[in-house]
Structure formats: structure tokens, C-alpha cells
């Protein structure tokens, strides 16, 4: 069964908050690309780099993302979140997920730290 874009966004967020790296990665394609929204800087490409980046992130025991708002249109989901546990303050994040062939294959982020 193929999950909808919203179901994938919900599944990856739950896995993120439980620090379940395998379940989290299962929501993304092998050629996943992560970039910054405004300047288009590619942070990393491919599952190996993705898995390493999130393994590092999940090592923070207090890491948690709170969903503030979600917009979904077709195969695109836009989440507004507050992320804690990565240092001082709250990270305010806009994440745009693009779904292709039943998996998220691109994420674009905009983020600001609020102290």
C-alpha cells in the first residue's frame, strides 16, 4: 500500500520524534535531496548522507519537533514546526516535502533560531 503525502509526512515526523532512524529513513527515497529553501544550497544528497546526518541529529536525547501547521496539496506537504533539543532556544522550521513514487524525495528547509 502506498501512503499519501500527508501520511508520509506524519510517519516521518513520528519517527523523528521517537528517534527511530530506520523507520524515519524508510519514508525517503534512496536519492533523497535536502536543500535550503531561500538560496538553494544542497545540504546533502542520497540515503547514505541523509542517514548519517539524521543519526547525528537523533543522538540528541531531547530532540523533538512540534507540528504547528500543515498545508498539503497533491504530492507536496508543507510543515511549520518548532524543534527543540539541538542547543539553546527553539528552531523555527518550514519544511517542504515532495513525494515521488510513494516516498519523499526532496526536502527544502527554511529555519530560524529563536532564543
Amino acid at each position: 500500500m502506498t501512503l499519501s503525502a500527508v501520511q508520509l509526512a506524519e510517519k516521518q515526523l513520528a519517527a523523528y520524534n521517537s528517534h527511530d532512524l530506520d523507520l524515519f529513513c524508510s519514508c525517503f527515497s534512496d536519492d533523497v535531496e535536502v536543500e535550503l529553501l531561500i538560496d538553494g544550497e544542497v545540504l546533502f544528497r542520497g540515503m547514505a548522507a541523509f542517514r548519517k546526518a539524521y543519526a547525528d541529529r537523533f543522538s540528541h536525547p531531547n530532540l523533538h519537533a512540534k507540528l504547528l501547521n500543515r498545508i498539503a496539496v497533491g504530492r507536496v506537504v508543507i510543515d511549520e514546526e518548532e524543534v527543540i533539543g539541538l542547543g539553546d532556544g527553539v528552531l523555527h522550521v518550514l519544511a517542504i516535502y515532495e513525494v515521488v513514487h510513494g516516498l519523499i524525495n526532496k526536502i527544502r528547509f527554511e529555519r530560524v533560531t529563536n532564543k
Side-chain angles (χ1 to χ4, degrees), residues 26-89:
S26 76
C27 298
F28 299 88
S29 67
D30 286 340
D31 60 347
V32 63
E33 183 174 294
V34 179
E35 68 180 36
L36 296 179
L37 179 62
I38 299 301
D39 64 11
E41 176 189 348
V42 175
L43 300 176
F44 42 88
R45 275 191 189 103
M47 184 51 67
F50 185 83
R51 179 176 279 279
K52 181 183 181 320
Y54 282 94
D56 291 345
R57 183 164 279 220
F58 289 171
S59 71
H60 297 272
N62 296 322
L63 177 69
H64 184 82
K66 177 182 175 186
L67 181 65
L68 301 176
N69 194 17
R70 175 172 283 153
I71 299 170
V73 178
R75 62 185 191 91
V76 176
V77 176
I78 303 170
D79 282 355
E80 178 186 15
E81 304 169 353
E82 287 182 343
V83 178
I84 61 170
L86 290 174
D88 294 337

Side-chain angles (χ1 to χ4, degrees), residues 93-107:
V93 177
L94 179 69
I96 303 172
Y97 303 102
E98 295 179 29
V99 176
V100 175
H101 304 298
L103 294 171
I104 299 167
N105 92 321
K106 187 169 193 173
I107 311 167

